[in-house]
Amino acid sequence: MLDVSDLSVSYGTIRAVRGISFTLGKGELVSLLGANGAGKSSTLKCIAGALKASGGSITLGGKDITSASPEQVVRAGLATVPETRDVFPDLTVAENLMLGAYIHRRDQAGNRQNLERLHTLFPRLAERSHQPAGTLSGGEQQMLVIARALMSRPTVLLLDEPSLGLAPAIVERIFEMIETLKKSGLTILLVEQNVNQALAVADRAYVMRLGTVVTSGTPDEIRATSDLSAHYLGG
Ligand code: ATP
């Protein structure tokens, strides 16, 4: 579904991502792990079209999206939830959601149907439909940005640190929701510092360190790598 091959990303002379390769099969949930500064967010931003690759290639469903713009990437079927969790605070929850349907703006019936599906998945958002998004709690805002990304009807979803800064009970709910999305057939790339939880939901994982992939495998294989927590995950 998603193939990242020998991808490099640089900020001037800083080489944040140094020739990494990984794949996501259809319906797979793959976690990208690693300590702060390992290059996870840069990888996601590059896939999303927000950063230019300095080398390598990215294909989505066989289509080359290496140099695609953010809008072209969304149209190709890939949506991203950045770690910044930015909602439009003065717009209502419903208005925020409709912005996610931008590429389908002529298909009102399809958008309504998708919105109903998302309201079932996120009942809290349905209850708060007419409330300004800025008044939602952190957890609710995280739900909103995920639901907004799903309004573009992606086949692949990239999630950057969805649990960041949230209370444990909320984190639990977010991970339950990620599992529900996986069961619905969505292909998901999950960037997380919350290693145990990320491995609990993943089919496979890749561990990054200083811009390279140092380990990959099933959650059991990753857990069995004894020096993982000490060297790559910050203890
Ligand atoms: P974190 O979890 O802290 O976001 P990360 O694994 O996602 O970590 P990146 O944010 O991709 O890592 O950062 C990788 C490297 O690129 C780091 O050395 C970082 O300082 C550098 N970097 C990130 N963004 C920029 C930028 N806009 N300008 C210059 N260097 C940057």
Side-chain angles (χ1 to χ4, degrees), residues 11 14 16 35-43 83 161 193:
Y11 301 93
I14 299 169
N36 278 330
K40 309 177 300 295
S41 295
S42 302
T43 302
E83 66 182 328
E161 306 259 4
Q193 299 233 2

